[in-house]
Amino acid sequence: MVRYSKLQKQVLALYRQLLRAGQNKPGFLPRIRTEFRKNACIPKNNVMHIEYLYRRGQRQLELMKDANTKQLGAFSRTCEDDRLLPDP
């Protein structure tokens, strides 16, 4: 059985919450899945970036729970963008 870290468990719980919140809004489920798959290539040891994306996901979840929300904006950084940045 796979043992997940606390952060991994939080991310998986956020993913489930986003999927539940997006069920009633057309076009949200593919966007949620795409975002998570796109960011799956982030190395596990890049904790700062993962925590940033986690907090961003929490904010988007709160927006999705609002009945007036019809769509989400898209500002994202891909793994290709990470490769282009110089190493610190």
Side-chain angles (χ1 to χ4, degrees):
M1 183 169 195
V2 178
R3 295 186 59 138
Y4 294 110
S5 70
K6 182 179 178 183
L7 184 58
Q8 287 174 317
K9 289 177 185 178
Q10 290 173 331
V11 170
L12 291 171
L14 176 65
Y15 181 65
R16 286 191 298 270
Q17 290 173 340
L18 285 165
L19 289 176
R20 285 187 200 113
Q23 285 179 341
N24 300 330
K25 300 186 186 247
F28 277 50
L29 292 180
R31 165 82 188 283
I32 294 165
R33 289 186 182 112
T34 302
E35 284 289 321
F36 271 82
R37 286 186 182 130
K38 182 173 60 176
N39 291 314
C41 64
I42 298 171
K44 291 179 185 178
N45 60 359
N46 194 350
V47 177
M48 294 296 283
H49 190 202
I50 294 169
E51 286 178 347
Y52 162 75
L53 291 171
Y54 175 74
R55 287 189 305 272
R56 192 173 123 212
Q58 286 179 316
R59 287 191 301 270
Q60 287 184 341
L61 176 61
E62 293 304 315
L63 288 174
M64 286 176 63
K65 287 181 178 179
D66 184 8
N68 296 321
T69 301
K70 303 291 185 230
Q71 63 184 20
L72 292 175
F75 295 104
S76 61
R77 211 169 116 182
T78 64
C79 292
E80 292 177 19
D81 293 338
D82 290 340
R83 289 186 208 122
L84 298 176
L85 294 174
D87 289 332

